[in-house]
Amino acid sequence: MEALEIARWQFGITTVYHFLMVPLTIGLGLLVAVMQTMWHRSGKEHYLRMTKFWGKLFLINFIMGVATGLVQEFQFGMAWSEYSRFVGDVFGAPLAMEALLAFFVESTFLGLWIFGWGRLPRLVHLLCLWAAVLASVFSAYFILVANSWMQHPVGVEMVDGRPVMVDAWAVFTNNTALVAFPHTVFGALAVAGAFLLGISWYHLHKRRHDGLDTVGAHGTVIVGDAGGARDAVDHRVWLVSARAGAIVAMIAFAGTGITGDLQGKLMFDQQPMKMAAAEAACHDGTGFSILSVGNLGAQSCDDITAVIEVPGVLSFLANGDFTTEVKGVNTLLPEYQEKYGTTLPDDPMYGERAGTEIDYLPVMEVTYWGFRIMIGFGAIAAGAAALALWVLRKGTVPESRWLMRLAVFGILAPFGANSAGWIFTEMGRQPFVVAPNPDPSGIDSVFMFTAAAVSPGVSLGELVASLVALTSVYAVLLVVEVKLLFSYVRGGTASAMPELAQAGSDSGHGGDGGSGVSGARHGGKDDGDVLAFAY
Amino acid sequence: MTEALPTLWFVLIAVLWAGYLFLEGFDLGVGMLMKLMARNDTQRRVLLNTVGPVWDGNEVWLVTAVGATFAAFPHWYASLLSALYLPFLLVLLGLIFRAVAFEWRGKRDSDAWRDRWDWAIAVGSFIAAAGIGAALALTTTGLPLDVNGNRVGGAFAWATMPALLGAVAVVLFCLVHAAAFVALKTEGSIRSQADRLFRRLLPVAMIPFLGWALLVQVGSGTVVTWFVVVLAVVAFIASYRAATVGRDGRAFAGLGVGMLALIGSIFGAAFPVVLPSTLDPAFDLTVQNASSSPYTLGLMSLVACFGLPLVLAYQAWTYWVFRRRVSEASIPAAHAVTAL
């Protein structure tokens, strides 16, 4: 393989990996902040336990998002120096703002939250969490502004062959970014919703399996109480979490659907080839393919047949009506070739690639299936959440072990949808790293081929070394993270609140109580010198 | 006004690097002391908790310095990071291991588990300090760059004496800075250990840093920057004297101010070159030919005017909230996470 391919694999792997952690950070962070707010307002013990337990899982994952995010900040310059020089005037600004306005707030106030239990006044402590969580949402906005400029370059003029920012307002209110931002936040909430639901289901199931909770005459739950961490409040923790997770998952899916539809309509204008490739739509038409067979990998329209097609739906996705013809690959290819050339320019920046033919068709296997996996996994998760909410109406889950496993596995579905969506939108932009927009509102002359973006001075050996090092380190850390999450999940609320386990062994109190537990924890000065929430 | 913007951003980026070295300097050093100074697990946890609430915020100074370089000087960002591909890869791996180790170390009650992450913290901190030191030394002394700003001479063209000097300078600074910080932030036996270490290290530890500053002064120093180097030496002497009379705060501040002065003298002398080419001075990247457009710099200036004071304010507040000294008695017992 050549340096360019290695660099692309590296960017893809590190970015998709980073975006396994990020949606959980954003989504779960928001939910934990809501839980702590509920505890602050109501003083109810189960909200405190929810905050502590989900907060612990949040932190185990958060740090991986931070650690892998570092790579993102550096790798544009390291592996993509020509790209950095070309776009720096407009692309660097949102990145720098993300660090200055979002990352500082996020990391500083999260530190205050972690170590501030019992030391800060309760309201201040709660506000610290909100500051950190909202900053992480804000950081998503900045990075999506940067990414959206690569999809839909706006607010610039070309000076000496490079885009120069002339209208910051246009860059920061890029319509592509304004719809990608809510789409991403809803995607993050979908992840968090499934996470809450799956893990809470496991615990509700475990309580039933251990004979703690039983089911009465009308199928209604009879809550058991074994004291300590497995008292009646514990049941409330999981039931409230499960229901909240299911509701969040459903709302999130609706949100991604609505914003995704808006995105699709923009994309048909801005990057018609990406959408044609997403549909494997070779010819102009109105039908949406449910299933296309043939050899997508051959990258040739002769080999593809749409087996099941719904007439009109593609037009609706693109234009909001059922009749307008949408351009297919066969129409678009000559248009792209005419506008952007058939071969790479004879410029030293393209190295040995100069003069080679440009393939304007993205990898159709990836775009076609990426698009469908995104929607499919999202829909499966939302459907399962709706079903789960109905099953939970009597206050517990069935004894079925298979259902429990399904709920836990279901956590993966929205992760898959998020990854598939990103892979689709980034690979669908190829062969461009900055995509030209043929529509009249776009700036047609601003584009960059991915082949021109890689660092000319960096050797193949360096790229291979970093690909191998980062991939293997990431793989090891993923295993460790998942193992840690599993052990904390298995330990239940006591894993985040060891005092519960102690309380269980010496008193076995339960019910609404717990004031003794939380009192000792948050009485402030009673703790003397001991750090409440230390490393 | 617009002509001054690249200069303003050069100053701001120097400030961000100085802030990074001052703040993360001690937490990188504390990371190394986990294996070099602490005698038992409780002491290691005391060390960790001195920086526990703040290390992540300190690290954002690095992210911001790099991000601001991208925004304000894209050519500097692109040339430096691609030329130092392997050193930055090592820095990233070091920082990744260190970050997860901080958070995960106490999440399982096992000595082997903790020991593994302690090594990750110590080695990760060491590599990060050395790599950042080498990179900063090279951006002020030069790299073999061609006319397009691309490195020539292969993957190890950066492995030079100035790189080694910078690496040693920053590693030693982090260690001595951490010793001063731990003496200031702890109580009991660990405090006196740190105090002793500080007094033993300080007379020699800043010599490489001083050497780096002098190297740049000899090349392009001015009267002002030479004077600032002298100020730094005065600050180090004052710091040492403060430590001998048990004034932890002054010792820490004196060392920090001295380091800031050295960084000021280095960037001041290097100005207006941001990244010299050792092949031909005509290929040098300067504040003028490496910078973004005045429009972008103006926009970023507005954001920095608003953002940077705010960052300083709330980070200062964090240090105030956690101003109490940590002692071995502050450390709660480790608890095991067991399945229900």
Side-chain angles (χ1 to χ4, degrees):
Chain A
M1 269 201 271
E2 291 180 63
L4 175 65
E5 271 76 50
I6 303 284
R8 285 187 62 194
W9 273 107
Q10 175 167 299
F11 196 90
I13 289 171
T14 52
T15 309
V16 168
Y17 187 93
H18 177 58
F19 211 75
L20 294 176
M21 319 301 161
V22 172
L24 189 58
T25 295
I26 292 177
L28 193 56
L30 284 167
L31 297 185
V32 173
V34 171
M35 290 168 192
Q36 192 173 342
T37 308
M38 299 297 284
W39 175 62
H40 183 79
R41 292 174 61 114
S42 70
K44 285 182 182 155
E45 169 77 10
H46 64 275
Y47 286 125
L48 174 66
R49 291 194 199 173
M50 284 164 70
T51 308
K52 293 256 183 167
F53 175 77
W54 297 110
K56 203 76 161 185
L57 301 189
F58 166 75
L59 289 176
I60 291 173
N61 171 70
F62 173 84
I63 200 64
M64 281 291 282
V66 170
T68 55
L70 283 168
V71 177
Q72 302 302 97
E73 193 82 16
F74 285 74
Q75 71 171 329
F76 296 109
M78 288 167 66
W80 303 96
S81 64
E82 281 299 322
Y83 169 78
S84 305
R85 290 183 183 118
F86 180 74
V87 302
D89 197 72
V90 56
F91 188 87
L95 256 64
M97 289 184 199
E98 183 185 31
L100 191 64
L101 301 179
F103 288 160
F104 266 127
V105 177
E106 189 181 21
S107 55
T108 308
F109 285 92
L110 199 66
L112 279 158
W113 183 71
I114 298 172
F115 284 80
W117 283 99
R119 184 165 304 200
L120 289 166
R122 280 191 193 187
L123 180 62
V124 178
H125 183 245
L126 172 63
L127 292 176
C128 284
L129 178 60
W130 273 110
V133 166
L134 291 177
S136 70
V137 175
F138 211 38
S139 78
Y141 164 73
F142 283 116
I143 201 67
L144 287 166
V145 164
N147 178 268
S148 296
W149 190 84
M150 301 162 78
Q151 314 282 356
H152 181 221
V154 289
V156 292
E157 269 173 17
M158 292 301 278
V159 178
D160 297 334
R162 288 201 169 90
V164 169
M165 186 160 34
V166 291
D167 186 353
W169 181 254
V171 172
F172 284 88
T173 59
N174 188 344
N175 53 13
T176 316
L178 294 185
V179 291
F181 174 56
H183 191 66
T184 307
V185 173
F186 280 124
L189 285 169
V191 166
F195 193 74
L196 249 65
L197 178 58
I199 291 171
S200 305
W201 193 292
Y202 165 81
H203 275 289
L204 286 171
H205 176 267
K206 191 158 176 59
R207 285 178 64 93
R208 284 211 61 184
H209 178 79
D210 294 351
L212 263 175
D213 298 337
T214 44
V215 172
H218 304 288
T220 318
V221 65
I222 301 165
V223 177
D225 191 332
R230 308 201 78 191
D231 52 10
V233 180
D234 186 55
H235 170 264
R236 191 110 205 102
V237 165
W238 305 121
L239 185 62
V240 172
S241 298
R243 283 180 174 158
I247 292 168
V248 167
M250 285 157 59
I251 294 173
F253 179 68
T256 49
I258 294 165
T259 52
D261 179 59
L262 294 171
Q263 270 186 306
K265 289 184 167 50
L266 285 179
M267 204 61 69
F268 274 107
D269 278 343
Q270 295 170 356
Q271 294 177 53
M273 184 63 93
K274 179 191 284 185
M275 294 312 287
E279 299 308 330
C282 287
H283 310 285
D284 300 1
T286 64
F288 177 84
S289 151
I290 300 282
L291 182 67
S292 289
V293 294
N295 189 359
L296 286 172
Q299 294 289 90
S300 157
C301 273
D302 304 334
D303 280 343
I304 297 167
T305 324
V307 184
I308 313 172
E309 210 177 44
V310 188
V313 171
L314 186 58
S315 292
F316 182 75
L317 289 179
N319 304 304
D321 64 48
F322 294 94
T323 50
T324 315
E325 294 252 306
V326 175
K327 285 181 183 173
V329 171
N330 288 341
T331 311
L332 288 167
L333 271 180
E335 288 183 16
Y336 272 72
Q337 284 166 350
E338 191 187 339
K339 276 192 159 161
Y340 313 114
T342 49
T343 55
L344 284 173
D346 220 0
D347 188 303
M349 77 200 294
Y350 293 100
E352 290 172 10
R353 290 161 191 278
T356 55
E357 198 178 333
I358 306 164
D359 185 3
Y360 287 103
L361 185 61
V363 183
M364 267 204 286
E365 272 175 323
V366 173
T367 51
Y368 182 85
W369 288 112
F371 194 65
R372 277 151 190 78
I373 289 171
M374 171 181 74
I375 296 172
F377 275 14
I380 289 170
L387 206 63
L389 200 60
W390 183 76
V391 171
L392 285 163
R393 73 197 182 284
K394 298 282 177 70
T396 189
V397 298
E399 273 183 291
S400 160
R401 193 175 274 273
W402 280 106
L403 266 183
M404 183 274 284
R405 285 183 184 150
L406 214 58
V408 173
F409 267 109
I411 294 173
L412 296 177
F415 279 103
N418 272 286
S419 298
W422 273 111
I423 292 169
F424 157 63
T425 201
E426 296 299 288
M427 287 191 66
R429 195 187 51 215
Q430 304 302 328
F432 298 101
V433 62
V434 178
N437 286 190
D439 80 302
S441 67
I443 303 170
D444 204 7
S445 58
V446 179
F447 63 89
M448 184 184 210
F449 288 110
T450 309
V454 75
S455 296
V458 173
S459 65
L460 181 66
E462 285 168 284
L463 285 161
V464 171
S466 63
L467 178 65
V468 171
L470 286 168
T471 309
S472 41
V473 165
Y474 277 17
V476 170
L477 291 180
L478 186 64
V479 172
V480 179
E481 178 184 349
V482 170
K483 275 190 169 175
L484 261 186
L485 287 173
F486 265 92
S487 76
Y488 272 78
V489 165
R490 285 212 189 90
T493 48
S495 60
M497 301 174 79
E499 65 274 23
L500 282 177
Q502 286 148 19
S505 57
D506 56 42
S507 73
H509 74 95
D512 66 334
S515 58
V517 174
S518 58
R521 203 60 168 163
H522 302 287
K525 303 293 178 251
D526 311 347
D527 282 333
D529 241 9
V530 179
L531 294 162
F533 204 107
Y535 281 147
Chain B
M1 178 59 205
T2 52
E3 291 82 50
L5 281 172
T7 303
L8 171 71
W9 272 91
F10 178 77
V11 173
L12 277 175
I13 283 166
V15 166
L16 288 169
W17 279 117
Y20 174 68
L21 288 176
F22 186 96
L23 291 170
E24 182 133 291
F26 60 74
D27 71 55
L28 289 173
V30 164
M32 291 184 257
L33 292 181
M34 293 281 286
K35 277 294 170 194
L36 292 177
M37 189 177 86
R39 290 174 182 159
N40 53 47
D41 189 56
T42 313
Q43 285 204 344
R44 279 188 281 275
R45 292 181 67 194
V46 169
L47 285 181
L48 272 187
N49 282 291
T50 61
V51 295
V54 295
W55 72 267
D56 192 14
N58 294 344
E59 201 159 290
V60 180
W61 284 81
L62 172 68
V63 177
T64 308
V66 172
T69 308
F70 195 177
F73 299 101
H75 298 272
W76 184 9
Y77 169 81
S79 293
L80 185 68
L81 269 71
S82 61
L84 301 182
Y85 193 90
L86 291 178
F88 276 116
L89 173 67
L90 288 174
V91 168
L92 289 172
L93 292 172
L95 290 175
I96 288 171
F97 272 112
R98 193 177 102 93
V100 295
F102 267 113
E103 196 57 53
W104 292 354
R105 178 189 188 277
K107 297 271 186 290
R108 186 180 289 172
D109 190 17
S110 140
D111 288 333
W113 169 268
R114 278 189 288 264
D115 191 53
R116 218 168 294 154
W117 291 118
D118 288 343
W119 278 110
I121 293 175
V123 176
S125 300
F126 170 75
I127 292 174
I132 297 287
L136 287 177
L138 287 169
T139 200
T140 50
T141 57
L143 280 163
L145 302 179
D146 66 16
V147 62
N148 295 319
N150 295 317
R151 183 197 64 202
V152 290
F156 295 94
W158 47 267
T160 57
M161 283 313 284
L164 183 64
L165 180 64
V168 175
V170 171
V171 167
L172 285 179
F173 163 70
C174 290
L175 277 173
V176 67
H177 196 40
F181 180 78
V182 173
L184 178 65
K185 286 292 295 176
T186 58
E187 271 173 346
S189 62
I190 194 157
R191 179 183 175 187
S192 42
Q193 279 166 250
D195 181 52
R196 270 200 307 280
L197 181 68
F198 177 74
R199 278 182 285 143
R200 207 176 323 148
L201 270 180
L202 181 60
V204 289
M206 292 312 287
I207 289 173
F209 215 121
L210 206 60
W212 167 24
L214 291 174
L215 186 68
V216 181
Q217 303 308 317
V218 169
S220 55
T222 65
V223 181
V224 178
T225 56
W226 275 105
F227 179 69
V228 176
V229 175
V230 176
L231 278 186
V233 175
V234 173
F236 295 143
I237 295 169
S239 166
Y240 186 80
R241 291 180 58 131
T244 53
V245 294
R247 301 295 298 263
D248 301 332
R250 287 189 189 184
F252 175 75
L255 175 67
V257 168
M259 185 281 296
L260 294 179
L262 286 185
I263 285 291
S265 77
I266 289 167
F267 276 92
F271 178 82
V273 178
V274 296
L275 178 55
S277 167
T278 51
L279 300 184
D280 186 341
F283 304 160
D284 286 356
L285 295 182
T286 67
V287 291
Q288 293 303 335
N289 71 19
S291 68
S292 286
S293 66
Y295 181 88
T296 297
L297 292 177
L299 170 74
M300 292 305 301
S301 303
L302 280 180
V303 174
C305 276
F306 161 78
L308 209 51
L310 211 62
V311 170
L312 287 170
Y314 60 69
Q315 287 209 331
W317 179 62
T318 311
Y319 284 91
W320 173 251
V321 168
F322 299 108
R323 65 192 176 280
R324 270 162 66 183
R325 286 176 185 267
V326 183
S327 73
E328 294 184 35
S330 331
I331 301 300
H335 78 275
V337 175
T338 45
L340 288 169

